[in-house]
Amino acid sequence: GIMPNRVFEQAGKLKGEGTYAKNESKSFISRLNVGIDYTKHFGNHAVSLNGGAEYIHTQSWGFGFNSKGISDKVDPEIGANPEATISTAKYKDALLGYFLRGNYNINSRYNFTGSFRYDGSSILPKNRQFVPAWGIGAAWNIQEEYWFRNVRLFDQFKIRASYGVNYNSGGIRQTLGMPFYDFTNNDTYLGNRVINLVEFWNSDLKFERARQWSLALDFGLFKHRVY
């Protein structure tokens, strides 16, 4: 009877080794947009303005566990295994922005535009949460000038120029703006669980800034067959 017992013990030991893991995450995003538009024509002039606000709120939740030493008699999802490790996560963040855009056109020849935004993120430090972005632009429809109308080669000839300062918060996650701790059963001191600092935060974290400018010439030839 020695051999059968050894085979049974070995098979049971093999079944007891291994891991079972399961993770679940959810995210809920709510967005609110409010805006107003104004347009006015007087003579050869046209003015348009639009502005508003935007609010985006994100909630994220996660749960997972990892069981070691699985027994074929116990469902690992019920958490009965004493060596199971459970992890949870919960994040909230918000973006708030205000914007204003304007356009002024004179006789369909000269066009001027301007924009302004004021955006903020709850992830960033208090003194760096809001930033102003702006842009200006102008266009000249030369084909509408009297002295250019004799040029039959072009059916469109317009020069455009713009300059602006933009900000971007893409890639900035919650744990970059605040300390991130880990609380597990594995690390103990004198029988008490220990909270570990997993990731350092950056107190100088801020939006990424980009300056952009453009200069363009739009033209059309042969009734716009070439553009």
Side-chain angles (χ1 to χ4, degrees):
I2 297 179
M3 183 61 67
N5 288 338
R6 287 182 178 179
V7 173
F8 178 80
E9 290 176 0
Q10 185 178 6
K13 185 177 180 181
L14 290 174
K15 290 183 179 180
E17 295 177 351
T19 60
Y20 181 89
K22 184 176 182 179
N23 294 277
E24 182 181 358
S25 62
K26 297 179 181 178
S27 180
F28 180 77
I29 301 175
S30 56
R31 183 190 299 266
L32 175 65
N33 293 87
V34 179
I36 186 171
D37 296 317
Y38 172 81
T39 302
K40 177 70 174 179
H41 295 271
F42 49 97
N44 295 326
H45 304 266
V47 176
S48 65
L49 295 172
N50 64 82
E54 181 180 32
Y55 178 74
I56 304 173
H57 187 264
T58 303
Q59 298 183 66
S60 300
W61 172 89
F63 173 81
F65 66 87
N66 191 324
S67 297
K68 296 180 180 179
I70 301 173
S71 171
D72 57 349
K73 299 180 180 179
V74 178
D75 186 348
E77 292 194 24
I78 66 176
N81 193 300
E83 296 188 32
T85 301
I86 298 175
S87 61
T88 61
K90 187 177 183 180
Y91 300 105
K92 291 183 180 181
D93 64 80
L95 291 170
L96 176 63
Y98 305 94
F99 63 90
L100 178 65
R101 291 187 292 264
N103 182 271
Y104 177 49
N105 189 279
I106 304 175
N107 202 26
S108 298
R109 297 182 186 177
Y110 314 104
N111 192 76
F112 303 93
T113 60
S115 63
F116 178 79
R117 285 191 63 98
Y118 194 62
D119 294 295
S121 172
S122 64
I123 298 178
L124 300 178
K126 294 293 184 181
N127 59 336
R128 299 176 182 269
Q129 283 186 330
F130 284 90
V131 289
W134 56 273
I136 55 175
W140 180 19
N141 290 322
I142 301 178
Q143 76 272 9
E144 296 295 330
E145 299 290 348
Y146 296 107
W147 50 267
F148 194 83
R149 291 181 178 179
N150 294 327
V151 181
R152 303 296 182 183
L153 179 63
F154 297 96
D155 49 76
Q156 180 182 5
F157 200 85
K158 180 171 67 175
I159 295 177
R160 296 182 291 110
S162 67
Y163 180 81
V165 178
N166 298 319
Y167 290 88
N168 176 39
S169 62
I172 299 179
R173 61 185 186 274
Q174 294 87 346
T175 56
L176 293 180
M178 63 183 66
F180 180 50
Y181 295 94
D182 183 62
F183 194 53
T184 69
N185 289 320
N186 297 329
D187 299 325
T188 59
Y189 179 74
L190 298 179
N192 298 317
R193 291 192 295 174
V194 178
I195 299 178
N196 298 313
L197 179 61
V198 178
E199 187 172 7
F200 285 98
W201 70 99
N202 183 2
S203 59
D204 296 324
L205 191 66
K206 59 184 180 180
F207 283 93
E208 179 187 43
R209 183 177 64 179
R211 296 185 178 93
Q212 296 179 330
W213 65 272
S214 66
L215 181 63
L217 171 64
D218 298 327
F219 65 91
L221 299 171
F222 314 118
K223 295 182 179 181
H224 249 58
R225 289 184 173 88
V226 177
Y227 174 76

